[in-house]
Amino acid sequence: MTNIIDIKDLHTNIGGNVIHKALNMVVKQGEIFGIVGGSGSGKTVLLNAILGLRPHQGGTIDLFGIDSDIVTRSFEHKKRMGILFQSGALFSSLNVLQNICVPMIEQGGISPECAHDLAYYKMKIVGLPDVAAPKLPEELSGGMIKRAAFARALALDADLIFLDEPTSGLDPISAEKFDQLILKLKKNLGLTVVMITHDLGSLSICDHIGVIIDKKMITGTLDEVRKNPHPWIQEYFAGARSQAMLGAIAET
């Protein structure tokens, strides 16, 4: 499969503090890649570096086989990427339909009338009913906010989606439904998904996982990563809560 993201020997620092040192990461087309790591390990810094929102001090980042600096300066390439922020980051003064229309109108140059029609379609594919269209973010449940933000991330038909803690703040039932939505859209739309998460349930839907430890990344399938002897990994996956969650996942 084609490498959609190929990071080699990435170095980043903030204020002289080294965040990543010789970090390597490969995401292949059509897979779900989960990123985990302790607080302060640099998960968000990595995401921002990939998106061109933060400079890196060494190494290379290729997106779609092209240097990321070129990708992030080109609208034709940038529109291939969508992001769902942890909080949803919906515009509080705009309703659901208007939020989804924003990238179509502002970036895609699509007429408001056409954008509205397309926005209803995006709502449908993420499981939002039409009655949600006129609602403001403050009127939505946590799950609906995530779905509206997901629809906005897909507004310009992106094929590479970044999800930052997509199930945080959701109850277990809503989180499971959102995980299944990710799987469904990956299959039906051919998406490649990069997901930062602490949710073990979400890790179970990932094809590969990258654990940021000691400023580098350890990658593999969920089973492969769980067998890694690194103390942090063992503590993360072998704790009582983790074992209970993994046991529940195995039973489903």
Side-chain angles (χ1 to χ4, degrees):
M1 291 187 291
T2 303
N3 292 345
I4 296 298
I5 300 175
D6 192 349
I7 299 174
K8 295 179 180 177
D9 296 326
L10 181 70
H11 290 252
T12 65
N13 68 71
I14 300 177
N17 295 316
V18 176
I19 308 300
H20 305 120
K21 184 177 182 180
L23 182 147
N24 296 293
M25 169 180 159
V26 172
V27 179
K28 296 191 175 295
Q29 184 175 11
E31 76 170 339
I32 300 176
F33 188 96
I35 299 175
V36 297
S39 298
S41 62
K43 300 182 294 296
T44 300
V45 173
L46 174 60
L47 179 60
N48 288 339
I50 294 171
L51 293 170
L53 301 176
R54 178 177 290 280
H56 53 280
Q57 286 65 48
T60 59
I61 302 175
D62 286 351
L63 302 172
F64 314 111
I66 305 169
D67 186 278
S68 63
D69 288 340
I70 298 173
V71 172
T72 54
R73 290 196 302 264
S74 164
F75 172 71
E76 287 304 310
H77 291 303
K78 284 174 65 177
K79 73 179 184 179
R80 297 182 64 185
M81 302 185 291
I83 181 167
L84 188 161
F85 295 98
Q86 182 173 349
S87 64
L90 297 177
F91 297 109
S92 60
S93 61
L94 301 181
N95 64 34
V96 169
L97 193 73
Q98 292 167 332
N99 264 281
I100 299 169
C101 286
V102 166
M104 299 185 200
I105 297 171
E106 299 297 328
Q107 297 175 281
I110 299 172
S111 70
E113 296 78 11
C114 185
H116 281 195
D117 291 340
L118 289 171
Y120 275 108
Y121 170 69
K122 302 299 180 180
M123 288 174 57
K124 182 177 181 180
I125 65 176
V126 299
L128 277 176
D130 288 353
V131 294
K135 293 183 181 294
L136 293 172
E138 64 184 20
E139 302 175 281
L140 303 177
S141 66
M144 292 179 74
I145 287 174
K146 298 285 189 178
R147 289 173 186 264
F150 205 168
R152 188 176 63 182
L154 295 169
L156 294 175
D157 297 328
D159 49 20
L160 171 58
I161 298 293
F162 297 92
L163 308 177
D164 189 1
E165 298 284 0
T167 58
S168 67
L170 300 183
D171 62 81
I173 294 174
S174 297
E176 169 63 18
K177 287 182 178 178
F178 202 85
D179 286 339
Q180 293 307 309
L181 173 64
I182 295 169
L183 278 173
K184 178 182 177 182
L185 294 183
K186 170 207 167 185
K187 178 181 179 181
N188 292 345
L189 302 180
L191 298 178
T192 302
V193 178
V194 176
M195 172 170 55
I196 295 175
T197 185
H198 288 105
D199 189 334
L200 285 169
S202 295
L203 288 180
S204 71
I205 71 170
C206 295
D207 297 289
H208 290 94
I209 296 168
V211 186
I212 301 179
I213 300 177
D214 302 329
K215 303 178 175 58
K216 303 181 188 299
M217 180 177 281
I218 295 172
T219 61
T221 64
L222 177 57
D223 285 342
E224 289 169 346
V225 170
R226 287 175 61 191
K227 294 174 183 176
N228 189 287
H230 192 284
W232 189 91
I233 293 178
Q234 288 305 305
E235 184 176 4
Y236 183 80
F237 286 105
R241 291 184 65 194
S242 298
Q243 287 298 305
M245 176 65 76
L246 291 168
I249 292 169
E251 293 174 2
T252 60

